[in-house]
Structures are given as structure tokens and as C-alpha cells.
Amino acid sequence: MADDKTNRGPQDRSRINFSEDYEVRYWTDKFGVSKSQLEEAVREVGSSTEAVEAELRRATLSGSKE
């Protein structure tokens, strides 16, 4: 199924997809992080939104990532 370009949220909210700019903007806004921070978290734990959110919280609490 093709993406509906009028829908500015992700099609699959359980995964982070970097192929669409509007999806990257959605996740960076939702988590309050930069694109590079989001990319680093995805590299660390995969594209699951739950895992990425937990990684970003862990990184924020430990102060190990900017």
C-alpha cells in the first residue's frame, strides 16, 4: 500500500522509517531530539519505536548522548 502524502504522521507507528522526511520530522518532534540523535538510537536498538524511545530516555538520563 502506498503512503498517503496528505497524512503527515507515520504509516506504521511501531517502526521508525527514514525514507520519508515527514516521518523523520514526526519522530524528532515527538521525542524532542535531533535527526542525528534519532539515527544513533536506531543504530543502537533498531527501528522499533518502543526500543528507540527507551534508548533515548536512557541516553538522556545517563547524559551520554547529546
Side-chain angles (χ1 to χ4, degrees), residues 5-49:
K5 300 299 182 187
T6 62
N7 180 357
R8 293 304 184 205
Q11 293 297 313
D12 179 359
R13 293 183 194 268
S14 69
R15 299 275 173 218
I16 295 175
N17 178 359
F18 283 94
S19 66
E20 298 291 345
D21 289 339
Y22 68 89
E23 289 198 25
V24 174
R25 280 191 305 274
Y26 174 86
W27 292 115
T28 57
D29 289 347
K30 178 173 176 56
F31 296 137
V33 297
S34 68
K35 182 178 178 182
S36 63
Q37 289 171 305
L38 185 64
E39 288 172 329
E40 176 65 23
V42 170
R43 274 194 299 274
E44 291 291 322
V45 298
S47 63
S48 163
T49 55

